[in-house]
Amino acid sequence: MQMSTLLLLGLFLLLLWSLNRWHRSRESLAPAVFAGLVLGAVYAGFLQLARQWAAAPAQEVLAWVDLLGDGYVNLLHLLVMPLVLVSILGAVVRISSTRSLGKISLSVLAVLLGTTAIAALVGVLMAQLFGLTASGLVEGAREVARAEVLDQRLGRVEGLSIPAMLLSFIPKNIFYDLTGARDTSVIAVVVFAILLGLAALAVRRDNPEQGALIEQFVGVAQSWIMKLVRLVMAFTPYGVMALVAGLVARSSWADILNLFSFVLASFVAIALMFVVHGLLLMANGVSPRRYFAKVWPVLVFAFSSRSSAATIPLNVETQIGGLGNAPAIANFSASFGATIGQNGCAGIYPAMLAVMVAVPMGINVLDPLWLTTLVAVVVISSFGIAGVGGGATFAALVVLPAMGLPVTIAALLISVEPLIDMARTALNVNGAMTAGTLTQRWLGDTSAAAPELARP
């Protein structure tokens, strides 16, 4: 191992030690997460300099940085399935009426899909205002390789019907889905947990004593899993630091500048959707300032990890402990929001790409019929995009062919995808938490749930 590598690793350990001292001196997780974000960006600057001087040491150091960052994300993925299973099961077992279960599901889905429709319109507006077009985009070696991959994956979504998408939500082998092997495994586990919970309610009606034992067992399982969640959550600042360091160190600023208009338009569109979320909360008596003060550590992790699924544990924990949402609402909104109605990946992104391709083809993208069709396709595909997996890219692979447009543009934007995807993921997760908070206001006991969020 070269001396420069040892020095860079020593600096990384020193920053981790400093972050640990900062974390231990504060009870709240939020300041430590922010500190991890800043330190990760600073360390990435040193790695960028090292990469310019000698490529080998920087790459070797990044392997160790990824060990911490990817290891933390792996632990969060480990938590997702057990947390979803026991949390949804516990919510159903304790519910007083199956009607409440239906109301929660419909309310969460309505917010997720409604905001996705708004996100599609925002994407169209931004593409028009910034004059974005597919004409003139450079196709290099990476773009050609990406196009070949997309051609292969396009076969997975061509001819995919809505019934086929919905069928993928129904579990066939729950043990297989508990491994997360399918793109729709999270929803499949939710469906299984609901069915298992409904069976427990039936047992409670026939035999109250056995029903009480089931409820007690589920309660113990929930407490056990939540202790595990909090144990892993304690490593969040260090995981964020490593993830940010790796992402920033690998960024190509030349590519970002080359596609600056698209990057800027994407971030403006994402920022506008955060404003939309805030307005929806304010219209329902929730203070946006206090809401975002509670959820921003979750958004920082979503931003750095680029994984809505990995953010589910922190999402649920924050909704229950910070926002005061009922466990049933928190778990439904976090689980559904990780795979359905993603405002950033399934709303803004495919709508912007559709406009960029349609304009050079002479299509009037502001034509009411074409615009309505695009929004409808985006909303439908956002509901079933988990059936094909791959986030924003697969959303584009569904939407563009449905609108009669080529999919090549998705390959031409590969250079800036990681940067934009970070913000899109944060928006997706915020959409899920917004859906949970609004559902709590509409269906829950708002007088008892997080009164500090109410507008003064």
Side-chain angles (χ1 to χ4, degrees), residues 269-313:
I270 291 168
L272 284 176
M273 279 308 301
F274 273 107
V275 172
V276 169
H277 291 169
L279 291 175
L280 289 173
L281 292 168
M282 186 167 59
N284 287 274
V286 177
S287 167
R289 180 179 61 82
R290 294 172 181 171
Y291 165 85
F292 283 109
K294 297 286 186 180
V295 307
W296 78 267
V298 186
L299 301 182
V300 169
F301 176 75
F303 183 86
S304 57
S305 69
R306 296 171 55 198
S307 174
S308 297
T311 313
I312 288 178

Side-chain angles (χ1 to χ4, degrees), residues 1-328:
M1 187 176 291
Q2 299 181 24
M3 181 60 66
S4 56
T5 301
L6 291 175
L7 290 175
L8 287 171
L9 286 175
L11 176 61
F12 184 65
L13 292 175
L14 178 62
L15 293 176
L16 282 176
W17 177 81
S18 302
L19 181 59
N20 177 257
R21 292 290 300 269
W22 174 272
H23 188 193
R24 291 170 59 185
S25 65
R26 284 160 177 78
E27 295 182 1
S28 174
L29 184 66
V33 171
F34 181 73
L37 176 67
V38 173
L39 290 177
V42 170
Y43 186 68
F46 286 100
L47 292 180
Q48 287 275 16
L49 292 175
R51 186 171 63 180
Q52 294 176 8
W53 293 333
Q59 293 301 321
E60 190 174 352
V61 171
L62 279 174
W64 289 98
V65 173
D66 291 341
L67 174 63
L68 177 58
D70 294 343
Y72 176 66
V73 172
N74 287 347
L75 286 177
L76 287 172
H77 279 294
L78 173 70
L79 296 176
V80 169
M81 293 307 177
L83 177 63
V84 169
L85 177 62
V86 300
S87 299
I88 298 294
L89 178 59
V92 176
V93 166
R94 294 184 178 88
I95 209 163
S96 58
S97 170
T98 54
R99 289 184 179 180
S100 299
L101 192 64
K103 288 180 179 179
I104 291 173
S105 301
L106 290 176
S107 176
V108 168
L109 289 175
V111 176
L112 290 173
L113 298 178
T115 52
T116 299
I118 298 173
L121 292 174
V122 169
V124 171
L125 177 63
M126 288 301 103
Q128 281 289 91
L129 287 178
F130 281 83
L132 300 180
T133 175
S135 299
L137 290 180
V138 178
E139 186 173 350
R142 283 188 301 171
E143 287 74 18
V144 171
R146 180 64 169 175
E148 293 176 356
V149 173
L150 291 183
D151 286 338
Q152 296 175 0
R153 293 182 176 179
L154 185 58
R156 295 175 57 185
V157 298
E158 285 183 330
L160 187 64
S161 63
I162 295 177
M165 291 179 180
L166 297 178
L167 181 62
S168 68
F169 294 161
I170 302 176
K172 182 179 181 181
N173 184 335
I174 190 57
F175 299 102
Y176 183 70
D177 282 319
L178 284 172
T179 66
R182 293 195 302 147
D183 299 316
T184 52
S185 287
V186 172
I187 298 299
V189 171
V190 169
V191 171
F192 175 73
I194 292 173
L195 294 175
L196 197 61
L198 293 176
L201 294 179
V203 170
R204 188 171 64 187
R205 285 195 302 268
D206 296 339
N207 191 323
E209 292 183 0
Q210 290 184 353
L213 289 175
I214 292 175
E215 185 172 344
Q216 182 180 3
F217 169 77
V218 173
V220 171
Q222 275 189 295
S223 299
W224 195 0
I225 293 298
M226 290 311 298
K227 285 293 184 182
L228 178 60
V229 169
R230 293 187 178 96
L231 179 64
V232 175
M233 287 299 103
F235 293 95
T236 299
Y238 318 109
V240 167
M241 175 181 161
L243 289 167
V244 170
L247 286 168
V248 176
R250 291 184 175 92
S251 298
S252 172
W253 299 110
D255 289 335
I256 294 172
L257 291 175
N258 187 41
L259 295 170
F260 180 74
S261 294
F262 178 74
V263 174
L264 181 60
S266 298
F267 274 94
V268 171
I270 291 168
L272 284 176
M273 279 308 301
F274 273 107
V275 172
V276 169
H277 291 169
L279 291 175
L280 289 173
L281 292 168
M282 186 167 59
N284 287 274
V286 177
S287 167
R289 180 179 61 82
R290 294 172 181 171
Y291 165 85
F292 283 109
K294 297 286 186 180
V295 307
W296 78 267
V298 186
L299 301 182
V300 169
F301 176 75
F303 183 86
S304 57
S305 69
R306 296 171 55 198
S307 174
S308 297
T311 313
I312 288 178
L314 189 57
N315 186 334
V316 172
E317 179 81 359
T318 300
Q319 283 200 57
I320 296 173
L323 302 178
N325 295 344

